[in-house]
Amino acid sequence: MGVMRVSVDVGGTFTDVIVMDEVGGLRLEKVETTPHEPERGVLEGFDKAEVALPDIGFFIHGTTLGINALLTSGGARVAIITTLGFRDVYELGRTDREPMYDFKYRKPPSLVPRHRVFEVEERMTFQGDVHTPFDRLQAEDVAASLRALGVTSVAVCFLHSYANPEHELAMERILGAVCPEVSVTLSHRLLREYREYERTSTAVIDAYIKPLTRSYLDKLDGQLGGAGFAGQFLLTRSGGGAMTLESAKEHPVHLVLSGPAGGVIGAAHLSDLLGTPNLITIDMGGTSLDVSLIEGGRARVEHNQSFRTLPISIPSLDIHTIGAGGGSIAWIDDGGHLQVGPQSAGAVPGPACYGKGGTEATFTDAALAVGYLDPDNFLGGEIGLDSAAAETAIATLAASLRLSPEETASGILRIGEAKIAGAVREISIERGYHPKDFALLAFGGAGALVAAGVARELGIPRVIVPPGPANFSAFGMLMVDVVHDFSQTHVTELSTVDIAAMNAIYASLVARGRDALTADGFAEDRWQFLPSAQLRYQGQEHAVTLPLAGHELTRSGIDTILEDFSAAHERQYGHSMKDPVEIVTLRLRAVGLLSRPHIPELAAADRSSDGARSGQRAVYLPAAVAGTNYAVFDRARLPRDHRLKGPAIIEEPSSTTVLHAGDAVRVGTYGELVIDIGSTEEETP
């Protein structure tokens, strides 16, 4: 097997490729995404990077295939099989909704219409005992009905199967005998937790994307194998870490946030590398912007995410996504006001300046029009930008707004930055954190373009732009470990908890983790188990997840858990109480440790920085009578520890960093750009 590591992140507009050789050398490439044949974009990325597939030891892949299938309603024809009397659980959902006060809100169409929801007589108690035996004949009739309806995938979710999955397993055997061509998802294999609606919704989403994901991964795996690849094929998980190819095909719901997860994984690693434990990340690509928070060097993991109000109850990195990418379209609303996004020009036709037929002004067109971008140096000159097309698209908007084209372009950028700042507030201030206590890590193709402006608006004192920011999500994928998450609902009051019963549950979770890691090929010395518990005040709906010191509880450790819970609850919800505290769910993350690639330090300055400055460019600023000159620098020529101050533009093949007056930047140990916002530091030659 080869020694190279290759990671590929398929985004909405571009597919990013990073190749790391055995000595830590990195090669970054970017090709256009092929939405209808995503595997073709992956293979084109390999070709462009000139990678010999037999030399690859690890291939780590992040994909947006699942989320795109949900966004475009392009998934499978799904049916639900549930317990007799519970047919409408999925249709009814919960009585609360988001947004609560929008009277125009309409619930999105269901992924599974009611006529494809079937019942089977059976029932378990919450303790896992058989209340009503499984009706095999009725189950066989249901399986025959699925076949007649042309169902391609089915989600099985029986009442209290989290406590005893025997009846779900029996249903799977019948489906395999009657309609073996149908893909099957059993809810207990995804999560062993209570809440029937959330568990059903998670199983439905898994079933909805499973046939498509399996087909794509089988096709890609076959093409890679045919070209000589014999290494380990891993995919990034929504909850951080990676999963093996077989696990991904079996449980694709864990891939829904696969692509954005790479950037957060990379941010946590960079946080440790730079000694900067608190980071807020903005990942601005061509279609969307993802925001996350790193506290104490660790990414936040949530267990209750949602897609268009549909819950997905699996561990997911806490990533907030908005429609604010480089391809976000500018438009005028019914009130005559300028808006930006969430609609995107995507990869096809793309922004007007791409010259692919796009005619609507986008964020990228505005950045070109004000002078941030060089039309002859986009993607290192591989793609020439059409300034005239961008100006024409913006002029159309400007005429309707009765503004100049320059004012309109500047307004597009300002609105985009305001939306990004709002997303940062949502993931920080609204969760009890102040942005000033964090540095802003900016990546994605356009993240460094807006970072200084967003940081200034929020009072964030420092911005960090990593090396190769446009490929940073792919970089993060190189830092993954293989991860499995296990959980078991067991509601009990903390003060009277049966320690032996809790430890027995944890022992069963550890046993499942050992089995999973052994199946993945990990030796025992590469295992790591990370326990946690979900707790709440008695009678509450919401709960808080806390990491635990070990998976064997002791009576003396209960007081520590109680103190930690009170502190976490006060930070998250603004108060703590004296009410009894309940343990709701016990969780365990089983980690298969992979070797970490070495990240080389940037060599000490052995050359003059004179050649780094490539010229200057006039940038339109609303407050300026005329354009303001921004010095332009080539990032590749900036030596370690070099310092300069704004206004300046730092260019590299796939990204542009903008510094405004008062900002100062230093080139860090690993080539990162560290920008102090509002600094008055004098430029160092």
Side-chain angles (χ1 to χ4, degrees):
M1 188 171 69
V3 293
M4 282 188 179
R5 291 181 184 235
V6 178
S7 60
V8 177
D9 176 27
V10 179
T13 306
F14 290 102
T15 294
D16 301 329
V17 180
I18 289 190
V19 180
M20 175 175 281
D21 61 30
E22 62 273 18
V23 295
L26 291 175
R27 179 167 181 179
L28 286 62
E29 297 292 351
K30 186 179 283 282
V31 297
E32 293 183 53
T33 293
T34 51
H36 300 296
E37 295 180 272
E39 68 280 358
R40 182 162 64 87
V42 173
L43 295 172
E44 287 176 356
F46 279 109
D47 290 341
K48 187 175 181 181
E50 299 177 347
V51 177
L53 270 69
D55 295 337
I56 300 173
F58 289 94
F59 168 43
I60 305 102
H61 185 23
T63 176
T64 56
L65 192 68
I67 192 70
N68 288 343
L70 291 167
L71 289 168
T72 61
S73 300
R77 183 178 174 85
V78 179
I80 297 173
I81 301 176
T82 190
T83 304
L84 182 66
F86 290 84
R87 182 182 185 188
D88 293 315
V89 164
Y90 184 66
E91 189 73 24
L92 292 173
R94 298 288 175 189
T95 55
D96 60 341
R97 64 178 176 84
E98 292 286 347
M100 184 176 293
Y101 301 108
D102 183 359
F103 67 90
K104 296 181 293 182
Y105 172 81
R106 295 293 181 270
K107 188 177 180 179
S110 175
L111 294 179
V112 185
R114 191 174 187 270
H115 73 270
R116 293 208 301 268
V117 182
F118 297 87
E119 297 174 315
V120 171
E121 187 170 1
E122 69 80 38
R123 186 156 180 173
M124 294 286 180
T125 69
F126 74 95
Q127 295 170 319
D129 301 321
V130 176
H131 180 276
T132 303
F134 179 73
D135 190 327
R136 180 173 296 277
L137 292 178
Q138 194 176 66
E140 290 173 349
D141 290 341
V142 166
S145 298
L146 296 183
R147 190 168 193 175
L149 280 173
V151 166
T152 57
S153 192
V154 60
V156 182
C157 187
F158 288 149
L159 191 68
H160 300 309
S161 61
Y162 62 86
N164 184 345
E166 178 185 334
H167 291 171
E168 285 194 353
L169 293 169
M171 189 72 236
E172 181 184 44
R173 289 191 291 270
I174 290 172
L175 289 168
V178 177
C179 43
E181 71 283 357
V182 173
S183 173
V184 179
T185 292
L186 304 184
S187 70
H188 79 273
R189 287 186 177 148
L190 297 176
L191 68 161
R192 301 286 289 269
E193 300 181 24
Y194 76 152
R195 300 185 186 276
E196 303 308 311
Y197 169 59
E198 286 77 6
R199 192 155 46 86
T200 301
S201 175
T202 304
V204 166
I205 290 173
D206 185 82
Y208 189 72
I209 65 175
K210 184 177 285 186
L212 178 71
T213 303
R214 277 183 170 173
S215 174
Y216 166 68
L217 293 177
D218 282 338
K219 188 182 299 184
L220 179 58
D221 186 43
Q223 291 176 341
L224 292 173
F229 172 68
Q232 192 163 4
F233 188 166
L234 303 175
L235 293 103
T236 51
R237 296 166 54 105
S238 301
M243 58 198 308
T244 62
L245 177 66
E246 292 305 317
S247 294
K249 290 193 290 186
E250 187 62 31
H251 305 303
V253 70
H254 290 286
L255 301 177
V256 169
L257 292 176
S258 171
V264 182
I265 295 167
H269 181 78
L270 191 66
S271 167
D272 179 62
L273 203 62
L274 302 182
T276 307
N278 294 341
L279 293 172
I280 294 173
T281 74
I282 57 170
D283 175 5
M284 187 174 183
T287 304
S288 60
L289 177 128
D290 303 309
V291 184
S292 67
L293 186 142
I294 307 292
E295 181 191 19
R298 299 181 64 177
R300 289 170 54 92
V301 176
E302 298 290 341
H303 292 82
N304 293 291
Q305 296 285 4
S306 65
F307 171 80
R308 290 185 176 177
T309 75
L310 297 175
I312 308 176
S313 293
I314 58 169
S316 298
L317 292 172
D318 189 9
I319 300 171
H320 179 50
T321 301
I322 62 172
S328 293
I329 295 171
W331 53 285
I332 300 172
D333 64 20
D334 292 340
H337 302 114
L338 181 63
Q339 303 287 348
V340 180
Q343 306 90 342
S344 174
V348 179
C353 61
Y354 282 13
K356 294 182 178 179
T359 58
E360 296 180 286
T362 67
F363 189 93
T364 298
D365 294 307
L368 177 63
V370 301
Y372 285 166
L373 301 178
D374 182 350
D376 299 320
N377 193 26
F378 190 71
L379 283 185
E382 290 185 23
I383 297 178
L385 299 183
D386 188 339
S387 298
E391 291 166 3
T392 299
I394 293 171
T396 302
L397 284 175
S400 299
L401 294 167
R402 297 182 181 180
L403 297 173
S404 71
E406 294 80 8
E407 290 172 324
T408 302
S410 180
I412 292 170
L413 297 179
R414 184 68 188 88
I415 291 169
E417 289 182 0
K419 290 182 67 174
I420 296 166
V424 172
R425 288 189 182 95
E426 186 167 339
I427 207 164
S428 56
I429 294 173
E430 293 184 15
R431 302 187 185 182
Y433 301 95
H434 199 298
K436 70 179 178 60
D437 297 326
F438 293 76
L440 187 67
L441 180 68
F443 52 95
L449 194 75
V450 300
V454 171
R456 181 171 279 103
E457 178 166 333
L458 293 169
I460 297 175
R462 176 166 290 179
V463 169
I464 300 173
V465 181
N471 297 67
F472 188 73
S473 288
F475 167 82
M477 294 173 190
L478 296 173
M479 307 299 151
V480 297
D481 293 311
V482 172
V483 168
H484 295 272
D485 288 295
F486 303 98
S487 61
Q488 180 66 62
T489 289
H490 188 87
V491 181
T492 184
E493 190 173 329
L494 189 61
S495 62
T496 59
V497 64
D498 184 337
I499 299 292
M502 293 295 99
N503 285 336
I505 293 174
Y506 269 124
S508 70
L509 297 180
V510 170
R512 291 166 63 191
R514 288 192 182 115
D515 291 343
L517 294 176
T518 300
D520 289 340
F522 286 94
E524 189 171 348
D525 62 347
R526 307 300 295 175
W527 296 351
Q528 183 182 50
F529 298 110
L530 304 174
S532 61
Q534 189 181 45
L535 301 100
R536 67 184 180 190
Y537 288 116
Q538 195 171 64
Q540 276 188 331
E541 169 69 14
H542 55 268
V544 174
T545 299
L546 289 179
L548 301 182
H551 53 77
E552 291 189 6
L553 301 181
T554 62
R555 181 60 59 184
S556 60
I558 297 298
D559 291 339
T560 301
I561 294 174
L562 183 60
E563 292 173 4
D564 291 345
F565 168 74
S566 296
H569 194 282
E570 183 159 5
R571 182 177 65 248
Q572 190 163 336
Y573 297 105
H575 70 282
S576 60
M577 302 186 294
K578 299 297 184 182
D579 293 26
V581 175
E582 292 178 331
I583 291 179
V584 180
T585 300
L586 304 179
R587 305 187 191 279
L588 183 81
R589 170 161 284 197
V591 183
L593 299 171
L594 296 172
S595 59
R596 284 280 187 271
H598 171 68
I599 307 301
E601 296 184 5
L602 199 65
D606 58 358
R607 64 181 186 272
S608 168
S609 62
D610 294 343
R613 179 160 180 168
S614 56
Q616 64 181 27
R617 195 153 63 238
V619 172
Y620 174 81
L621 298 176
V625 176
T628 300
N629 286 328
Y630 277 53
V632 180
F633 295 86
D634 180 354
R635 182 171 183 176
R637 295 178 176 272
L638 290 174
R640 176 174 168 177
D641 295 326
H642 182 70
R643 299 170 185 265
L644 58 91
K645 69 175 184 177
I649 294 172
I650 301 174
E651 296 181 332
E652 54 191 299
S654 56
S655 185
T656 298
T657 302
V658 176
L659 286 73
H660 302 293
D663 300 337
V665 65
R666 173 181 59 83
V667 181
T669 304
Y670 298 93
E672 73 278 6
L673 300 178
V674 182
I675 305 170
D676 291 319
I677 302 300
S679 173
T680 57
E681 181 181 356
E682 293 299 322
E683 180 177 2
T684 302

mmCIF file of all heavy atoms in Angstrom, residues 630-663:
data_model
loop_
_atom_site.group_PDB
_atom_site.id
_atom_site.type_symbol
_atom_site.label_atom_id
_atom_site.label_comp_id
_atom_site.label_asym_id
_atom_site.label_seq_id
_atom_site.Cartn_x
_atom_site.Cartn_y
_atom_site.Cartn_z
ATOM 1 N N TYR A 630 -4.814 49.986 -2.893
ATOM 2 C CA TYR A 630 -4.451 48.861 -2.030
ATOM 3 C C TYR A 630 -3.191 48.226 -2.608
ATOM 4 O O TYR A 630 -3.164 47.874 -3.795
ATOM 5 C CB TYR A 630 -5.569 47.817 -1.981
ATOM 6 C CG TYR A 630 -6.679 48.119 -0.991
ATOM 7 C CD1 TYR A 630 -7.348 49.332 -1.005
ATOM 8 C CD2 TYR A 630 -7.061 47.175 -0.043
ATOM 9 C CE1 TYR A 630 -8.368 49.605 -0.111
ATOM 10 C CE2 TYR A 630 -8.076 47.430 0.864
ATOM 11 C CZ TYR A 630 -8.732 48.649 0.827
ATOM 12 O OH TYR A 630 -9.738 48.911 1.721
ATOM 13 N N ALA A 631 -2.149 48.095 -1.778
ATOM 14 C CA ALA A 631 -0.946 47.396 -2.225
ATOM 15 C C ALA A 631 -1.277 45.924 -2.434
ATOM 16 O O ALA A 631 -2.024 45.323 -1.657
ATOM 17 C CB ALA A 631 0.172 47.546 -1.194
ATOM 18 N N VAL A 632 -0.728 45.312 -3.480
ATOM 19 C CA VAL A 632 -1.014 43.913 -3.815
ATOM 20 C C VAL A 632 0.245 43.080 -3.588
ATOM 21 O O VAL A 632 1.339 43.450 -4.049
ATOM 22 C CB VAL A 632 -1.493 43.785 -5.269
ATOM 23 C CG1 VAL A 632 -1.777 42.317 -5.608
ATOM 24 C CG2 VAL A 632 -2.741 44.636 -5.506
ATOM 25 N N PHE A 633 0.073 41.940 -2.880
ATOM 26 C CA PHE A 633 1.203 41.069 -2.553
ATOM 27 C C PHE A 633 0.917 39.643 -3.007
ATOM 28 O O PHE A 633 -0.234 39.189 -3.019
ATOM 29 C CB PHE A 633 1.476 41.078 -1.045
ATOM 30 C CG PHE A 633 1.918 42.404 -0.501
ATOM 31 C CD1 PHE A 633 0.981 43.361 -0.118
ATOM 32 C CD2 PHE A 633 3.262 42.707 -0.384
ATOM 33 C CE1 PHE A 633 1.383 44.590 0.378
ATOM 34 C CE2 PHE A 633 3.677 43.933 0.116
ATOM 35 C CZ PHE A 633 2.745 44.884 0.495
ATOM 36 N N ASP A 634 1.982 38.941 -3.361
ATOM 37 C CA ASP A 634 1.908 37.521 -3.695
ATOM 38 C C ASP A 634 2.190 36.734 -2.421
ATOM 39 O O ASP A 634 3.299 36.787 -1.872
ATOM 40 C CB ASP A 634 2.936 37.187 -4.775
ATOM 41 C CG ASP A 634 2.929 35.719 -5.185
ATOM 42 O OD1 ASP A 634 2.205 34.920 -4.554
ATOM 43 O OD2 ASP A 634 3.653 35.371 -6.134
ATOM 44 N N ARG A 635 1.197 35.998 -1.930
ATOM 45 C CA ARG A 635 1.353 35.301 -0.646
ATOM 46 C C ARG A 635 2.518 34.322 -0.667
ATOM 47 O O ARG A 635 3.227 34.162 0.337
ATOM 48 C CB ARG A 635 0.060 34.573 -0.272
ATOM 49 C CG ARG A 635 0.147 33.873 1.080
ATOM 50 C CD ARG A 635 -1.180 33.328 1.551
ATOM 51 N NE ARG A 635 -1.076 32.725 2.870
ATOM 52 C CZ ARG A 635 -2.086 32.229 3.561
ATOM 53 N NH1 ARG A 635 -3.304 32.264 3.049
ATOM 54 N NH2 ARG A 635 -1.896 31.698 4.757
ATOM 55 N N ALA A 636 2.728 33.651 -1.783
ATOM 56 C CA ALA A 636 3.792 32.645 -1.863
ATOM 57 C C ALA A 636 5.166 33.261 -1.649
ATOM 58 O O ALA A 636 6.118 32.554 -1.288
ATOM 59 C CB ALA A 636 3.737 31.944 -3.210
ATOM 60 N N ARG A 637 5.313 34.555 -1.853
ATOM 61 C CA ARG A 637 6.609 35.218 -1.715
ATOM 62 C C ARG A 637 6.792 35.913 -0.369
ATOM 63 O O ARG A 637 7.841 36.508 -0.125
ATOM 64 C CB ARG A 637 6.789 36.239 -2.844
ATOM 65 C CG ARG A 637 6.873 35.598 -4.229
ATOM 66 C CD ARG A 637 7.004 36.662 -5.317
ATOM 67 N NE ARG A 637 7.186 36.071 -6.629
ATOM 68 C CZ ARG A 637 8.357 35.746 -7.162
ATOM 69 N NH1 ARG A 637 9.464 35.961 -6.469
ATOM 70 N NH2 ARG A 637 8.431 35.200 -8.349
ATOM 71 N N LEU A 638 5.780 35.836 0.496
ATOM 72 C CA LEU A 638 5.908 36.458 1.815
ATOM 73 C C LEU A 638 6.646 35.509 2.753
ATOM 74 O O LEU A 638 6.171 34.410 3.021
ATOM 75 C CB LEU A 638 4.530 36.785 2.392
ATOM 76 C CG LEU A 638 3.750 37.911 1.713
ATOM 77 C CD1 LEU A 638 2.348 38.017 2.314
ATOM 78 C CD2 LEU A 638 4.485 39.246 1.838
ATOM 79 N N PRO A 639 7.792 35.894 3.278
ATOM 80 C CA PRO A 639 8.561 34.994 4.148
ATOM 81 C C PRO A 639 7.972 34.938 5.553
ATOM 82 O O PRO A 639 7.187 35.797 5.964
ATOM 83 C CB PRO A 639 9.955 35.617 4.158
ATOM 84 C CG PRO A 639 9.709 37.076 3.932
ATOM 85 C CD PRO A 639 8.510 37.163 3.021
ATOM 86 N N ARG A 640 8.374 33.930 6.288
ATOM 87 C CA ARG A 640 7.947 33.769 7.681
ATOM 88 C C ARG A 640 8.319 34.993 8.507
ATOM 89 O O ARG A 640 9.398 35.576 8.342
ATOM 90 C CB ARG A 640 8.610 32.513 8.246
ATOM 91 C CG ARG A 640 8.337 32.245 9.714
ATOM 92 C CD ARG A 640 8.931 30.908 10.090
ATOM 93 N NE ARG A 640 8.962 30.700 11.525
ATOM 94 C CZ ARG A 640 9.379 29.591 12.112
ATOM 95 N NH1 ARG A 640 9.812 28.579 11.363
ATOM 96 N NH2 ARG A 640 9.382 29.463 13.426
ATOM 97 N N ASP A 641 7.411 35.403 9.373
ATOM 98 C CA ASP A 641 7.562 36.538 10.294
ATOM 99 C C ASP A 641 7.494 37.889 9.595
ATOM 100 O O ASP A 641 7.684 38.929 10.242
ATOM 101 C CB ASP A 641 8.860 36.448 11.106
ATOM 102 C CG ASP A 641 8.876 35.248 12.032
ATOM 103 O OD1 ASP A 641 7.799 34.880 12.542
ATOM 104 O OD2 ASP A 641 9.953 34.651 12.222
ATOM 105 N N HIS A 642 7.230 37.899 8.284
ATOM 106 C CA HIS A 642 7.106 39.178 7.600
ATOM 107 C C HIS A 642 5.841 39.891 8.085
ATOM 108 O O HIS A 642 4.817 39.264 8.344
ATOM 109 C CB HIS A 642 7.030 38.975 6.088
ATOM 110 C CG HIS A 642 6.947 40.265 5.315
ATOM 111 N ND1 HIS A 642 8.005 41.132 5.224
ATOM 112 C CD2 HIS A 642 5.930 40.823 4.620
ATOM 113 C CE1 HIS A 642 7.644 42.177 4.498
ATOM 114 N NE2 HIS A 642 6.389 42.008 4.126
ATOM 115 N N ARG A 643 5.916 41.208 8.182
ATOM 116 C CA ARG A 643 4.787 42.016 8.643
ATOM 117 C C ARG A 643 4.504 43.124 7.636
ATOM 118 O O ARG A 643 5.423 43.677 7.044
ATOM 119 C CB ARG A 643 5.086 42.637 10.016
ATOM 120 C CG ARG A 643 5.332 41.603 11.110
ATOM 121 C CD ARG A 643 5.850 42.248 12.384
ATOM 122 N NE ARG A 643 6.197 41.248 13.384
ATOM 123 C CZ ARG A 643 5.391 40.840 14.358
ATOM 124 N NH1 ARG A 643 4.177 41.392 14.466
ATOM 125 N NH2 ARG A 643 5.766 39.923 15.227
ATOM 126 N N LEU A 644 3.240 43.413 7.482
ATOM 127 C CA LEU A 644 2.845 44.562 6.671
ATOM 128 C C LEU A 644 1.489 45.042 7.160
ATOM 129 O O LEU A 644 0.810 44.365 7.931
ATOM 130 C CB LEU A 644 2.799 44.201 5.180
ATOM 131 C CG LEU A 644 1.880 43.062 4.724
ATOM 132 C CD1 LEU A 644 0.502 43.588 4.350
ATOM 133 C CD2 LEU A 644 2.497 42.317 3.563
ATOM 134 N N LYS A 645 1.099 46.234 6.742
ATOM 135 C CA LYS A 645 -0.180 46.766 7.190
ATOM 136 C C LYS A 645 -1.031 47.170 5.993
ATOM 137 O O LYS A 645 -0.550 47.376 4.877
ATOM 138 C CB LYS A 645 0.030 47.954 8.127
ATOM 139 C CG LYS A 645 0.591 49.206 7.472
ATOM 140 C CD LYS A 645 0.639 50.340 8.491
ATOM 141 C CE LYS A 645 1.100 51.649 7.824
ATOM 142 N NZ LYS A 645 1.087 52.765 8.782
ATOM 143 N N GLY A 646 -2.337 47.264 6.260
ATOM 144 C CA GLY A 646 -3.284 47.629 5.215
ATOM 145 C C GLY A 646 -3.320 49.128 5.009
ATOM 146 O O GLY A 646 -2.713 49.902 5.762
ATOM 147 N N PRO A 647 -3.976 49.538 3.920
ATOM 148 C CA PRO A 647 -4.800 48.715 3.039
ATOM 149 C C PRO A 647 -3.942 47.872 2.087
ATOM 150 O O PRO A 647 -2.997 48.377 1.490
ATOM 151 C CB PRO A 647 -5.648 49.727 2.283
ATOM 152 C CG PRO A 647 -4.826 50.980 2.282
ATOM 153 C CD PRO A 647 -4.068 50.982 3.570
ATOM 154 N N ALA A 648 -4.270 46.591 1.990
ATOM 155 C CA ALA A 648 -3.485 45.682 1.154
ATOM 156 C C ALA A 648 -4.342 44.507 0.716
ATOM 157 O O ALA A 648 -5.340 44.164 1.356
ATOM 158 C CB ALA A 648 -2.250 45.181 1.915
ATOM 159 N N ILE A 649 -3.928 43.896 -0.378
ATOM 160 C CA ILE A 649 -4.561 42.683 -0.902
ATOM 161 C C ILE A 649 -3.463 41.641 -1.062
ATOM 162 O O ILE A 649 -2.425 41.912 -1.673
ATOM 163 C CB ILE A 649 -5.250 42.949 -2.253
ATOM 164 C CG1 ILE A 649 -6.428 43.914 -2.076
ATOM 165 C CG2 ILE A 649 -5.720 41.648 -2.892
ATOM 166 C CD1 ILE A 649 -7.037 44.383 -3.385
ATOM 167 N N ILE A 650 -3.689 40.455 -0.475
ATOM 168 C CA ILE A 650 -2.720 39.365 -0.572
ATOM 169 C C ILE A 650 -3.340 38.274 -1.431
ATOM 170 O O ILE A 650 -4.378 37.705 -1.083
ATOM 171 C CB ILE A 650 -2.352 38.829 0.821
ATOM 172 C CG1 ILE A 650 -1.757 39.962 1.675
ATOM 173 C CG2 ILE A 650 -1.352 37.683 0.712
ATOM 174 C CD1 ILE A 650 -1.500 39.571 3.117
ATOM 175 N N GLU A 651 -2.702 37.983 -2.551
ATOM 176 C CA GLU A 651 -3.268 37.053 -3.530
ATOM 177 C C GLU A 651 -2.555 35.707 -3.502
ATOM 178 O O GLU A 651 -1.355 35.631 -3.231
ATOM 179 C CB GLU A 651 -3.172 37.646 -4.942
ATOM 180 C CG GLU A 651 -3.989 38.905 -5.138
ATOM 181 C CD GLU A 651 -3.885 39.449 -6.553
ATOM 182 O OE1 GLU A 651 -2.836 39.217 -7.199
ATOM 183 O OE2 GLU A 651 -4.840 40.110 -7.010
ATOM 184 N N GLU A 652 -3.304 34.675 -3.762
ATOM 185 C CA GLU A 652 -2.780 33.329 -4.011
ATOM 186 C C GLU A 652 -3.696 32.696 -5.047
ATOM 187 O O GLU A 652 -4.762 33.251 -5.363
ATOM 188 C CB GLU A 652 -2.722 32.521 -2.720
ATOM 189 C CG GLU A 652 -4.034 32.433 -1.955
ATOM 190 C CD GLU A 652 -3.840 31.857 -0.566
ATOM 191 O OE1 GLU A 652 -3.384 30.701 -0.482
ATOM 192 O OE2 GLU A 652 -4.135 32.557 0.421
ATOM 193 N N PRO A 653 -3.339 31.558 -5.615
ATOM 194 C CA PRO A 653 -4.091 31.043 -6.757
ATOM 195 C C PRO A 653 -5.595 30.902 -6.544
ATOM 196 O O PRO A 653 -6.376 31.184 -7.445
ATOM 197 C CB PRO A 653 -3.432 29.685 -7.022
ATOM 198 C CG PRO A 653 -2.024 29.872 -6.593
ATOM 199 C CD PRO A 653 -2.110 30.762 -5.381
ATOM 200 N N SER A 654 -6.037 30.469 -5.360
ATOM 201 C CA SER A 654 -7.467 30.182 -5.200
ATOM 202 C C SER A 654 -8.146 31.008 -4.121
ATOM 203 O O SER A 654 -9.276 30.725 -3.737
ATOM 204 C CB SER A 654 -7.661 28.691 -4.882
ATOM 205 O OG SER A 654 -6.922 28.328 -3.730
ATOM 206 N N SER A 655 -7.483 32.052 -3.636
ATOM 207 C CA SER A 655 -8.089 32.879 -2.597
ATOM 208 C C SER A 655 -7.442 34.252 -2.574
ATOM 209 O O SER A 655 -6.310 34.431 -3.046
ATOM 210 C CB SER A 655 -7.934 32.209 -1.223
ATOM 211 O OG SER A 655 -8.611 32.934 -0.229
ATOM 212 N N THR A 656 -8.171 35.220 -2.019
ATOM 213 C CA THR A 656 -7.673 36.589 -1.894
ATOM 214 C C THR A 656 -7.979 37.091 -0.492
ATOM 215 O O THR A 656 -9.118 36.978 -0.021
ATOM 216 C CB THR A 656 -8.345 37.514 -2.927
ATOM 217 O OG1 THR A 656 -8.029 37.055 -4.248
ATOM 218 C CG2 THR A 656 -7.869 38.944 -2.769
ATOM 219 N N THR A 657 -6.958 37.624 0.184
ATOM 220 C CA THR A 657 -7.121 38.179 1.523
ATOM 221 C C THR A 657 -7.087 39.698 1.434
ATOM 222 O O THR A 657 -6.179 40.263 0.816
ATOM 223 C CB THR A 657 -6.003 37.699 2.464
ATOM 224 O OG1 THR A 657 -6.011 36.267 2.515
ATOM 225 C CG2 THR A 657 -6.181 38.255 3.862
ATOM 226 N N VAL A 658 -8.087 40.346 2.055
ATOM 227 C CA VAL A 658 -8.185 41.805 2.012
ATOM 228 C C VAL A 658 -7.951 42.375 3.406
ATOM 229 O O VAL A 658 -8.579 41.948 4.377
ATOM 230 C CB VAL A 658 -9.562 42.246 1.480
ATOM 231 C CG1 VAL A 658 -9.685 43.763 1.527
ATOM 232 C CG2 VAL A 658 -9.773 41.743 0.053
ATOM 233 N N LEU A 659 -7.010 43.324 3.503
ATOM 234 C CA LEU A 659 -6.755 44.077 4.726
ATOM 235 C C LEU A 659 -7.140 45.526 4.482
ATOM 236 O O LEU A 659 -6.806 46.089 3.441
ATOM 237 C CB LEU A 659 -5.280 44.047 5.115
ATOM 238 C CG LEU A 659 -4.655 42.793 5.698
ATOM 239 C CD1 LEU A 659 -4.481 41.719 4.643
ATOM 240 C CD2 LEU A 659 -3.308 43.143 6.319
ATOM 241 N N HIS A 660 -7.828 46.110 5.451
ATOM 242 C CA HIS A 660 -8.228 47.501 5.318
ATOM 243 C C HIS A 660 -7.300 48.393 6.134
ATOM 244 O O HIS A 660 -6.426 47.911 6.863
ATOM 245 C CB HIS A 660 -9.682 47.665 5.755
ATOM 246 C CG HIS A 660 -10.627 46.809 4.964
ATOM 247 N ND1 HIS A 660 -10.880 47.010 3.623
ATOM 248 C CD2 HIS A 660 -11.364 45.718 5.325
ATOM 249 C CE1 HIS A 660 -11.737 46.099 3.187
ATOM 250 N NE2 HIS A 660 -12.046 45.306 4.197
ATOM 251 N N ALA A 661 -7.462 49.688 5.997
ATOM 252 C CA ALA A 661 -6.628 50.640 6.729
ATOM 253 C C ALA A 661 -6.712 50.361 8.226
ATOM 254 O O ALA A 661 -7.803 50.187 8.777
ATOM 255 C CB ALA A 661 -7.081 52.060 6.427
ATOM 256 N N GLY A 662 -5.563 50.285 8.879
ATOM 257 C CA GLY A 662 -5.513 49.996 10.305
ATOM 258 C C GLY A 662 -5.262 48.548 10.636
ATOM 259 O O GLY A 662 -4.910 48.216 11.765
ATOM 260 N N ASP A 663 -5.449 47.653 9.669
ATOM 261 C CA ASP A 663 -5.179 46.234 9.898
ATOM 262 C C ASP A 663 -3.696 45.951 9.675
ATOM 263 O O ASP A 663 -3.056 46.575 8.822
ATOM 264 C CB ASP A 663 -5.993 45.357 8.948
ATOM 265 C CG ASP A 663 -7.494 45.550 9.115
ATOM 266 O OD1 ASP A 663 -7.910 46.002 10.196
ATOM 267 O OD2 ASP A 663 -8.244 45.237 8.169
#
